[in-house]
């Protein structure tokens, strides 16, 4: 039994993570985008972009849409049923999220998967990708939190006068959904392009739907030239990070084994420098981390980085695994030439 356990762990640590993740994303994409056609319903509290506008195709729905709906009540209503409903919804979202932590971003999110596909197209065309400067990266990091605050505040201001300001028009009841690229992109994969429009029925609808069209264009172009472009601005990532500490899946680092070679940083799609430089923190999941585990696969030091689920190591860095994956990459590169 011990020998079999050791063999399984060795096989996992030596696996081709890129291939495993690719197929995991495909399965998750099919279930989330097309699951409704086979009767799959994972509810409306998912911590990933499973768009409500995907109609009968969706296998589950994004919690951001439900969250905005829950907040559109008079403040006094939160003392009663509306408050209980809000807390129950938030709790269900947290339970879903705690199962995979930020792995929802790296392995399940349809928008994340689309961005990875665009990166694959760019790599095939041999076009160099762009990077943010460190000065700009610090500024960009705050945008996701600003968007999160706005998507929480604007629905509240529809039913309430906040800070003495007049109530907002009902057209802002789902402000983030109006501008989210998932509203247009995800239904398109089921053959529905009815979300690609500009609504002239009111000034509010005109502004929001126009912004939505602009943002979906930025999503497509930005994700082609920059790995995981949209993830830097994603308010879902900010919301997830608030709940990430108790999550069951974690990314651990043993700083005593780190040589600061930088391989983990170079493998990171989100350019998280802390993964290489921080040798004191054990838990390295940040707000930008997608838990794609590329850093673990790229690390050449035994046990320096590991994915840990409920206290058990499920994938860790090893010198052997690093060399196996390097050989795989070399074979792939030779075939490309």
């Amino acid at each position: 039994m011990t020998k079999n356990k050791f063999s399984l762990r060795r096989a996992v640590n030596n696996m081709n993570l890129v291939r495993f993740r690719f197929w995991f994303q495909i399965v998750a994409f099919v279930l989330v985008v097309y699951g409704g056609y086979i009767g799959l319903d994972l509810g409306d509290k998912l911590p990933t972009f499973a768009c409500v506008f995907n109609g009968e195709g969706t296998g589950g729905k994004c919690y951001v849409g439900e969250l905005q709906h829950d907040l559109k009540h008079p403040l006094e209503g939160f003392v009663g049923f509306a408050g209980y409903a809000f807390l129950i919804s938030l709790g269900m979202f947290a339970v879903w999220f705690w199962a995979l932590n930020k792995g929802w971003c790296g392995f399940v999110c349809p928008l994340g998967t689309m961005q990875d596909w665009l990166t694959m197209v760019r790599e095939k065309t041999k076009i160099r990708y762009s990077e943010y400067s460190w000065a700009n990266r610090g500024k960009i990091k705050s945008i996701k939190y600003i968007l999160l605050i706005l998507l929480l505040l604007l629905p509240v201001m529809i039913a309430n006068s906040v800070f003495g300001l007049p109530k907002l028009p009902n057209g802002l009841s789902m402000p983030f959904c109006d501008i989210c690229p998932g509203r247009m992109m995800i239904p398109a994969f089921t053959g529905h392009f009815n979300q690609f429009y500009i609504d002239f029925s009111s000034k509010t609808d005109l502004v929001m739907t126009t912004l939505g069209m602009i943002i979906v264009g930025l999503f497509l172009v930005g994700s082609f030239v920059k790995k995981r472009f949209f993830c830097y601005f994603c308010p879902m990532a900010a919301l997830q990070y608030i709940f990430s500490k108790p999550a069951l899946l974690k990314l651990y680092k043993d700083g005593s084994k780190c040589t600061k070679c930088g391989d983990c940083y170079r493998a990171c799609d989100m350019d998280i420098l802390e993964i290489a430089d921080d040798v004191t923190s054990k838990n390295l999941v940040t707000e930008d981390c997608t838990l794609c585990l590329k850093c673990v696969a790229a690390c050449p030091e035994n046990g320096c980085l590991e994915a840990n689920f409920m206290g058990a190591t499920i994938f860790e860095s090893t010198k052997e695994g690093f060399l196996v994956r390097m050989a795989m990459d070399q074979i792939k590169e030779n075939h490309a030439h």
Side-chain angles (χ1 to χ4, degrees):
M1 176 67 94
T2 303
K3 184 178 180 180
N4 290 337
K5 184 178 180 180
F6 176 78
S7 299
L8 177 60
R9 175 171 291 185
R10 182 183 177 192
V12 170
N13 291 337
N14 291 356
M15 72 174 173
N16 185 334
L17 178 71
V18 172
R19 182 179 299 167
F20 171 80
R21 184 165 166 264
F22 173 80
W23 287 110
F24 194 106
Q25 286 179 298
I26 291 287
V27 172
F29 189 90
V30 169
L31 292 177
V32 170
V33 178
Y34 302 101
Y37 292 124
I38 58 172
L40 179 67
D41 184 5
L42 298 175
D44 53 10
K45 312 295 189 298
L46 295 186
T48 192
F49 289 118
C51 188
V52 65
F53 293 98
N54 195 32
E56 62 182 12
T58 186
K61 299 177 183 67
C62 168
Y63 177 61
V64 169
E66 179 71 13
L67 177 60
Q68 293 169 104
H69 177 269
D70 286 348
L71 292 172
K72 197 184 66 173
H73 293 284
L75 292 178
E76 57 269 19
F78 281 95
V79 179
F81 178 77
Y84 291 126
F86 171 73
L87 291 176
I88 291 171
S89 292
L90 188 63
M92 292 177 67
F93 162 80
V95 170
W96 272 113
F97 174 67
W98 286 333
L100 287 180
N101 202 340
K102 297 297 289 297
W104 284 96
C105 303
F107 286 83
V108 180
C109 179
L111 287 184
T113 298
M114 290 180 205
Q115 291 177 90
D116 289 340
W117 289 343
L118 287 168
T119 293
M120 290 169 63
V121 172
R122 177 188 50 73
E123 289 173 345
K124 292 290 185 182
T125 56
K126 301 189 184 304
I127 297 174
R128 286 192 62 187
Y129 63 86
S130 301
E131 292 183 351
Y132 295 124
S133 68
W134 279 101
N136 287 332
R137 187 175 175 271
K139 298 173 184 175
I140 288 169
K141 184 179 290 190
S142 63
I143 294 176
K144 63 170 68 69
Y145 290 101
I146 294 171
L147 288 174
L148 177 61
I149 291 169
L150 287 175
L151 77 83
L152 295 175
L153 186 60
L154 293 180
V156 172
M157 293 179 69
I158 292 172
N160 303 274
S161 176
V162 180
F163 308 124
L165 297 172
K167 295 179 182 179
L168 295 178
N170 197 54
L172 289 172
S173 60
M174 298 180 75
F176 181 72
C177 291
D178 287 337
I179 65 172
C180 176
R183 178 175 66 84
M184 285 166 268
M185 295 300 300
I186 294 176
F189 277 85
T190 57
H192 295 93
F193 299 91
N194 56 335
Q195 294 300 318
F196 287 87
Y197 69 93
I198 295 178
D199 188 346
F200 292 90
S201 60
S202 71
K203 290 181 180 179
T204 301
D205 291 329
L206 174 63
V207 170
M208 296 304 288
T209 53
T210 299
L211 274 175
M213 292 292 285
I214 292 171
I215 289 173
V216 80
L218 290 173
F219 171 83
L220 292 169
V221 175
S223 300
F224 183 79
V225 300
K226 174 74 183 77
K227 294 178 180 179
R228 287 282 177 146
F229 166 80
F230 180 73
C231 296
Y232 287 92
F233 310 99
C234 177
M236 176 69 87
L239 181 63
Q240 290 175 341
Y241 187 59
I242 295 171
F243 294 89
S244 65
K245 296 302 180 184
L248 303 179
L249 180 63
K250 299 182 184 298
L251 175 64
Y252 283 155
K253 180 176 182 178
D254 185 344
S256 66
K257 298 178 180 179
C258 179
T259 61
K260 291 191 176 182
C261 65
D263 283 355
C264 54
Y265 167 69
R266 285 185 286 273
C268 180
D269 290 342
M270 300 299 294
D271 302 325
I272 301 173
L273 189 59
E274 294 90 337
I275 190 68
D277 283 0
D278 190 345
V279 294
T280 57
S281 300
K282 184 178 181 181
N283 187 355
L284 289 179
V285 176
T286 68
E287 62 264 61
D288 285 336
C289 178
T290 64
L291 265 178
C292 66
L293 306 183
K294 285 185 176 181
C295 55
V296 181
C299 179
E301 305 301 329
N302 290 325
C304 181
L305 290 171
E306 69 171 62
N308 187 288
F309 187 77
M310 296 182 66
T313 300
I314 59 172
F315 180 53
E316 68 178 337
S317 61
T318 63
K319 185 175 182 178
E320 181 184 15
F322 171 78
L323 293 174
V324 168
R325 283 183 283 271
M326 285 285 289
M328 292 176 186
D329 291 342
Q330 189 61 49
I331 292 172
K332 183 180 177 181
E333 187 175 331
N334 291 339
H335 285 167
H337 291 300

